[in-house]
Amino acid sequence: MSVPRRPTDPSGLERYYVLTKGRSGPGGSASSLDVATLIVSRAAPAPGMQHEYAEIVRRCREPLSVAELGAHLHLPFNILAVLLADLLEAGRVEARDPIPAHDAGRGPDLALLEEVLSGLERL
């Protein structure tokens, strides 16, 4: 007598449910994450750390945007945001705004744009 096979979940939703422990979105300060937020590791992966957490910490030794990280790990934004919230709370990673707050309302640096244009014209 054969044991009935459990159907697989081709959508990956079951895996995501397990990864996030049933949570559908980040809480606390991590709720302000967006795709342009830069993530940087503050520590090395801990022994026995869940694979996805360890992979995030490893890949973020250099600043990496949430969008890039999601593409590398093949994870949707909301699932990745939950995992990042856990790592932020544990102090394993830090989140940085891609544009410093004091520059956010000013627009692009005109001097820099002029230098880029000048360099392009020389090509």
Side-chain angles (χ1 to χ4, degrees):
M1 181 173 217
S2 67
V3 177
R5 294 188 65 168
R6 193 172 137 210
T8 58
D9 179 13
S11 68
L13 294 177
E14 189 174 290
R15 174 178 170 248
Y16 298 153
Y17 184 84
V18 171
L19 282 177
T20 62
K21 299 174 183 87
R23 295 170 290 163
S24 62
S29 63
S31 62
S32 65
L33 289 174
D34 67 16
V35 294
T37 302
L38 298 175
I39 305 297
V40 184
S41 299
R42 297 181 77 194
M49 183 182 264
Q50 184 177 320
H51 171 74
E52 288 77 12
Y53 291 123
E55 194 62 26
I56 290 168
V57 171
R58 252 188 245 98
R59 287 185 181 267
C60 292
R61 288 184 184 126
E62 296 292 323
L64 201 59
S65 74
V66 173
E68 292 171 305
L69 194 53
H72 287 301
L73 300 176
H74 307 288
L75 290 172
F77 174 79
N78 61 328
I79 303 301
L80 182 58
V82 171
L83 300 178
L84 289 172
D86 292 345
L87 290 170
L88 285 164
E89 187 177 308
R92 295 299 218 178
V93 297
E94 68 179 74
R96 298 180 183 168
D97 288 328
I99 301 172
H102 64 277
D103 291 341
R106 238 183 36 188
D109 181 8
L110 252 33
L112 176 62
L113 291 176
E114 287 173 357
E115 287 181 43
V116 170
L117 181 60
S118 173
L120 289 172
E121 288 172 346
R122 281 182 267 154
L123 293 175

